[in-house]
């Protein structure tokens, strides 16, 4: 137990508001914790937590019974569950919460549902919707990396879930149970993320089971459709970066499979460097909200796990926008990002003369290869 936590419990009666609920069980004011200890338990700052409570109020019902749980407690319970990845019984039995497992479950369910409301989710997780917003993201990438035209980095990550029911129906599962088993042989949801240079998630798709190929998710993505439409209207200076498992397109640039010149090797080096931001985003997300770590496993049906993932993305973006410090936990060993790149790279030489988008993608990439080479040549 660290010093702050020890001091908190030793001096609890002097430092904290002491109340009793309808069952005569003691509860304490979490906001009386030190800032460091509050962040450790809930990941958000006190100010950001209060803001979160306020925006969730219209979406969380609190009944009039004396034994009802107030919205502040509901939000703190959910944040603690997201932050620690602890089972609900452990969360409920903590000195700060003191609730039954069923009460904790209801709290998490209500807060997750509120964070998934379109009015909240679409405010905090949104891909640029106009040229001005695209330019802002692109300029940030260029200022930080010197790689022109990038508006986001794309990749997928696996989030572990318990084995779903084998009863295939629209209420429980949209996919058969075996489809959730990924090539690492555990059940997961394959989550597609697009992030900006500040690690903010611009788009998330957590609807597909773990065995789904990354390209299939991308081809069914709203972002893919939007970028294709953008380029069809001659806005060709905007693109994402992806790994070699994705198809080369004018709006999605991938590494060169077999570079033959110094310029191409330089492009690959820069492309990999810039694209590493998505891996860092994924790492920060999972370290901040440890319920998403592989060894924690979300003990929910797939659709509920998807809602929890979306909720954590909203909270992650709130933390990024409010400059909340990253969580560093040295006790986590063998940290699994869930980003598996052992799928075969796509062959760019198939249908050379018939795939117009592939040809335009090569042209776009060649242009960037030249730009990066010229930039290196003029640097002192």
């Amino acid at each position: 137990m660290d010093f702050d936590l020890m001091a908190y419990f030793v001096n609890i009666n002097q430092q904290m508001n002491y109340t009793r609920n309808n069952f005569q069980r003691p509860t304490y004011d979490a906001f009386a914790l030190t800032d460091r200890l509050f962040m450790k338990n809930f990941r958000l700052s006190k100010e950001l937590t209060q803001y979160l409570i306020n925006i969730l109020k219209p979406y969380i019902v609190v009944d009039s019974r004396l034994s009802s749980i107030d919205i502040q407690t509901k939000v703190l319970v959910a944040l603690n569950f997201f932050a620690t990845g602890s089972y609900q019984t452990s969360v409920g039995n903590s000195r700060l919460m003191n609730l039954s497992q069923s009460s904790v479950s209801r709290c998490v369910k209500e807060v997750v549902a509120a964070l998934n409301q379109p009015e909240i989710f679409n405010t905090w997780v949104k891909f640029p919707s106009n040229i001005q917003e695209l330019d802002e993201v692109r300029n940030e990438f260029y200022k930080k990396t010197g790689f022109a035209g990038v508006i986001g980095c794309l990749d997928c990550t696996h989030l572990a879930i318990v084995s779903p029911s084998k009863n295939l129906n629209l209420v429980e599962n949209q996919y058969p149970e075996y489809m959730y088993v990924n090539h690492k042989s555990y059940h997961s949801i394959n989550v597609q993320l697009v992030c900006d240079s500040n690690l903010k998630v611009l788009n998330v798709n957590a609807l597909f089971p773990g065995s789904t190929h990354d390209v299939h998710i991308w081809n069914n993505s709203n972002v893919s459709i939007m970028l294709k439409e953008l380029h069809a209207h001659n806005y060709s200076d905007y693109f994402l970066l992806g790994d070699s498992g994705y198809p080369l397109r004018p709006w999605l640039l991938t590494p060169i499979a077999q570079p033959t010149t110094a310029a191409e090797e330089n492009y690959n080096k820069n492309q990999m460097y810039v694209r590493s931001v998505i891996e860092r985003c994924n790492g920060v997300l999972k370290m901040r909200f440890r319920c998403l770590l592989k060894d924690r496993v979300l003990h929910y049906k797939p659709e509920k796990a998807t809602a929890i993932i979306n909720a954590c993305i909203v909270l992650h973006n709130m933390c990024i926008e409010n400059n909340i410090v990253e969580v560093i936990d040295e006790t986590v060993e063998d940290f699994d990002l869930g980003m598996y790149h052992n799928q075969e790279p796509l062959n760019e030489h198939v249908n050379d003369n018939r795939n117009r988008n592939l040809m335009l993608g090569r042209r776009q990439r060649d242009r960037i290869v030249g730009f990066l080479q010229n930039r290196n040549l003029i640097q002192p």
Side-chain angles (χ1 to χ4, degrees):
M1 182 180 292
D2 59 36
F3 177 79
D4 285 346
L5 189 60
M6 186 182 301
Y8 165 69
F9 286 123
V10 168
N11 300 303
I12 195 81
N13 292 326
Q14 289 80 27
Q15 296 180 2
M16 295 193 148
N17 297 325
Y18 180 84
T19 60
R20 290 183 180 274
N21 61 23
N22 196 44
F23 302 99
Q24 296 299 302
R25 294 179 299 182
T27 58
Y28 305 102
D29 180 12
F31 284 90
L33 290 167
T34 65
D35 290 342
R36 190 182 74 86
L37 195 53
F38 188 93
M39 289 275 292
K40 182 177 181 180
N41 279 277
F42 307 110
R43 296 302 193 248
L44 279 61
S45 66
K46 293 178 182 179
E47 294 75 16
L48 186 55
T49 301
Q50 192 58 61
Y51 166 80
L52 179 65
I53 291 169
N54 291 335
I55 67 170
L56 294 186
K57 278 182 180 179
Y59 306 100
I60 297 179
V61 177
V62 177
D63 59 45
S64 58
R65 293 178 301 167
L66 291 176
S67 59
S68 64
I69 303 171
D70 61 276
I71 186 171
Q72 175 176 302
T73 300
K74 290 181 178 181
V75 170
L76 291 174
V77 165
L79 288 178
N80 189 246
F81 172 72
F82 300 148
T84 64
S86 299
Y87 293 118
Q88 293 177 356
T89 300
S90 300
V91 175
N93 287 340
S94 73
R95 295 287 297 274
L96 293 172
M97 303 305 165
N98 209 8
L99 298 172
S100 67
Q101 187 275 339
S102 59
S103 295
V104 170
S105 179
R106 287 194 298 272
C107 291
V108 172
K109 179 180 178 180
E110 291 180 32
V111 172
V112 166
L115 287 167
N116 276 266
Q117 290 294 321
E119 296 85 352
I120 294 178
F121 183 83
N122 293 335
T123 297
W124 286 97
V125 186
K126 56 182 180 179
F127 197 80
S129 58
N130 55 56
I131 297 300
Q132 180 181 349
E133 292 177 353
L134 286 169
D135 285 341
E136 289 174 359
V137 177
R138 183 178 65 174
N139 291 341
E140 278 293 314
F141 265 106
Y142 185 71
K143 283 192 297 183
K144 290 185 176 181
T145 67
F147 204 117
V150 182
I151 56 170
C153 294
L154 166 73
D155 211 338
C156 286
T157 182
H158 289 263
L159 297 178
I161 61 172
V162 294
S163 175
S165 168
K166 294 186 178 181
N167 296 323
L168 182 61
N169 58 67
L170 294 179
V171 176
E172 294 187 14
N173 295 341
Q174 295 186 35
Y175 301 95
E177 172 271 335
Y178 68 85
M179 290 190 67
Y180 288 93
V181 181
N182 62 31
H183 57 267
K184 290 289 184 176
S185 301
Y186 66 89
H187 293 84
S188 70
I189 294 176
N190 195 5
V191 182
Q192 178 182 277
L193 299 174
V194 178
C195 78
D196 67 11
S197 60
N198 297 315
L199 311 186
K200 187 175 182 180
V201 176
L202 303 177
N203 180 263
V204 56
N205 188 333
L207 299 175
F208 290 89
S211 66
T212 310
H213 198 285
D214 295 358
V215 176
H216 179 76
I217 301 175
W218 169 242
N219 288 338
N220 288 274
S221 166
N222 291 333
V223 175
S224 175
I225 296 171
M226 191 204 82
L227 289 179
K228 185 176 182 179
E229 187 70 18
L230 195 68
H231 279 247
H233 287 80
N234 296 321
Y235 291 98
S236 58
D237 293 330
Y238 306 93
F239 49 80
L240 302 179
L241 298 183
D243 64 32
S244 57
Y246 289 100
L248 174 64
R249 296 293 182 263
W251 51 86
L252 176 58
L253 298 191
T254 59
I256 298 172
Q258 296 177 336
T260 58
T261 66
E264 290 179 345
E265 290 177 355
N266 178 62
Y267 163 83
N268 274 3
K269 180 180 178 181
N270 280 273
Q271 201 265 6
M272 183 178 296
Y273 167 73
V274 179
R275 184 164 48 84
S276 67
V277 71
I278 188 64
E279 295 185 0
R280 184 160 175 248
C281 172
N282 182 48
V284 170
L285 170 67
K286 291 182 178 180
M287 289 302 295
R288 180 171 274 144
F289 301 111
R290 295 184 63 184
C291 67
L292 304 180
L293 284 173
K294 177 187 172 184
D295 64 336
R296 293 299 187 268
V297 184
L298 290 173
H299 289 252
Y300 294 90
K301 296 177 182 178
E303 67 274 11
K304 291 184 179 179
T306 292
I308 291 174
I309 294 166
N310 288 342
C312 289
I313 296 290
V314 171
L315 297 172
H316 167 81
N317 282 355
M318 287 184 176
C319 291
I320 295 295
E321 195 148 309
N322 287 273
N323 298 313
I324 303 300
V325 296
E326 298 175 18
V327 176
I328 300 176
D329 193 337
E330 297 178 352
T331 65
V332 178
E333 298 179 358
D334 193 22
F335 183 40
D336 185 354
L337 284 173
M339 290 179 164
Y340 307 132
H341 303 300
N342 59 354
Q343 297 175 357
E344 288 295 323
L346 296 185
N347 188 351
E348 295 179 14
H349 302 290
V350 175
N351 296 330
D352 274 5
N353 298 321
R354 291 184 292 171
N355 192 332
R356 182 173 182 272
N357 286 330
L358 177 57
M359 296 174 65
L360 292 174
R362 286 203 193 97
R363 190 180 303 170
Q364 176 87 300
R365 189 170 64 184
D366 289 344
R367 183 173 67 87
I368 299 301
V369 168
F371 170 82
L372 292 173
Q373 180 69 1
N374 291 334
R375 189 199 65 181
N376 285 347
L377 289 176
I378 63 176
Q379 287 181 340

